[in-house]
Amino acid sequence: MRGTTTSDPAGSRWALEARGLGKRYRRSWALRDCSFRVPAGRITALVGPNGAGKSTLLAMAAGLTEPSAGELRLFGTPAGSPGVMPRWAHLGQDKPLFKNFTVAQTLRMGQELNPGWDQEVAERIADGGRIPRDARIRELSGGQRTRVAFALAFGKRPELLLLDEPMADLDPVSRDETTALLLSEAAEHGTTVVMSSHLLSEIEHMCDYVLVLDQGRVRMAGEADELIPMHTLVTGVTTPQGELPAGLGAHTLIESRVSGRHFTALVRREGPLDSAWEQSWPSMEEVLLGYLRSPEAPALLSPTAVPDHREESAA
């Protein structure tokens, strides 16, 4: 288990912590009044439609842009502070590598720029793709460039890895290989991962924590194993007027669909369900889609995901 460099033991428990976080671009807010936290050591799915604020959040965590309101902390330290920079690595979809550099020159650059560089880890990741050290970046396939980018990221030995759709342009085989690489390296080094992705079926098998954004606000945050089982898919018969049965009103309705005389609804259970309804457990993908399709449904944050203001006042 790696030690931490922060003097804030409570803050070190949380890889990311936002309090009233907001970012405004001219007349519109990319993020507004976002409060959440992500425990250290988790692989977190950052989910939301285009324009939800995912890239803005990752950019603020990487110190590339500053909040317009509130604050964002990494391991208890304000994001963008020089002292926290060695503790994170950021990898975006564009994977900005110097195209005329060879693989060896790219890794050497990483070694010279990062005091805590782990050459053995970087070389192992790059060599695992059977990439010639003398090959130039421009000559590599998309999967090979992604592997070199991951070699740079993990060579830094970050405690927090921020991923903004880095595998979006990969074919299925390359994506599968890169996913296996990410999981094995994160497990070996205890790295916290926050990964933006549109592939909900894929993240279900990778992530143990979820952070859902929509229209710049937090829609869901917390332990996947805690939040997903709180929901049930129910199917039944509508009223003679074609409406949902009144009994659904005793539960938190996330979304519903009516087809003919039958309805299907995703609910957050608030007690026993009507035995006349057919019930099934939804997948993570079904729950996340339900919240994204129904922005009027109440947000859901687990207790671990809610910043403790008592800690703030005691600090």
Side-chain angles (χ1 to χ4, degrees):
M1 184 79 174
R2 289 191 309 272
T4 59
T5 58
T6 179
S7 60
D8 178 7
S12 66
R13 294 172 53 199
W14 312 110
L16 279 179
E17 186 168 16
R19 297 176 186 269
L21 184 66
K23 180 63 181 179
R24 183 170 184 170
Y25 295 105
R26 296 187 179 181
R27 297 182 179 181
S28 62
W29 289 84
L31 290 172
R32 191 162 193 177
D33 195 26
C34 292
S35 295
F36 64 86
R37 57 189 183 184
V38 174
R42 302 304 180 88
I43 297 182
T44 299
L46 178 58
V47 178
N50 292 333
K54 303 187 301 297
S55 294
T56 297
L57 174 61
L58 293 175
M60 282 196 284
L64 301 177
T65 186
E66 295 183 353
S68 304
E71 65 172 352
L72 179 65
R73 290 178 173 266
L74 277 61
F75 302 105
T77 303
S81 298
V84 81
M85 291 183 66
R87 304 183 70 178
W88 56 260
H90 178 264
L91 182 57
Q93 184 174 345
D94 54 352
K95 295 178 282 292
L97 302 171
F98 291 104
K99 295 183 179 179
N100 289 326
F101 275 27
T102 64
V103 174
Q105 290 172 329
T106 300
L107 298 185
R108 191 176 310 124
M109 177 188 67
Q111 185 176 33
E112 293 175 356
L113 293 178
N114 297 285
W117 181 258
D118 190 327
Q119 184 71 7
E120 181 181 351
V121 167
E123 290 180 350
R124 184 180 73 238
I125 293 174
D127 293 345
R130 300 175 186 154
I131 306 172
R133 297 277 184 88
D134 59 354
R136 297 196 180 275
I137 299 299
R138 68 168 181 266
E139 300 169 348
L140 303 181
S141 67
Q144 290 174 323
R145 285 195 299 273
T146 297
R147 180 173 279 272
V148 173
F150 270 106
L152 278 179
F154 276 107
K156 187 179 178 180
R157 288 297 297 272
E159 294 174 62
L160 172 63
L161 183 57
L162 305 164
L163 302 178
D164 192 1
E165 294 278 359
M167 297 182 282
D169 59 345
L170 300 185
D171 61 69
V173 173
S174 297
R175 180 185 294 276
D176 184 66
E177 293 174 349
T178 305
T179 297
L181 167 67
L182 170 63
L183 292 177
S184 63
E185 292 295 332
E188 180 175 348
H189 301 296
T191 309
T192 304
V193 178
V194 178
M195 180 177 65
S196 171
S197 178
H198 289 297
L199 298 176
L200 302 185
S201 59
E202 183 177 74
I203 64 176
E204 183 166 7
H205 305 291
M206 296 176 58
C207 303
D208 53 13
Y209 208 83
V210 294
L211 177 59
V212 181
L213 299 178
D214 192 14
Q215 300 178 14
R217 299 182 183 272
V218 178
R219 300 285 294 114
M220 179 185 291
E223 306 276 354
D225 287 346
E226 177 184 353
L227 299 182
I228 304 306
M230 294 172 65
H231 301 80
T232 303
L233 277 173
V234 297
T235 303
V237 179
T238 61
T239 67
Q241 294 76 30
E243 299 176 348
L244 296 176
L248 280 178
H251 308 277
T252 301
L253 179 64
I254 306 304
E255 72 165 349
S256 63
R257 297 180 182 181
V258 174
S259 177
R261 293 198 57 210
H262 293 84
F263 73 89
T264 300
L266 176 66
V267 301
R268 207 153 73 212
R269 300 183 308 278
E270 307 294 344
L273 292 164
D274 192 321
S275 59
W277 300 335
E278 186 176 322
Q279 305 172 29
S280 61
W281 298 110
S283 65
M284 178 189 290
E285 180 178 9
E286 289 171 320
V287 172
L288 296 180
L289 281 174
Y291 278 82
L292 292 176
R293 287 192 294 242
S294 306
E296 71 285 354
L300 176 62
L301 282 76
S302 68
T304 56
V306 180
D308 190 339
H309 293 284
R310 291 175 298 178
E311 293 177 5
E312 181 181 36
S313 60

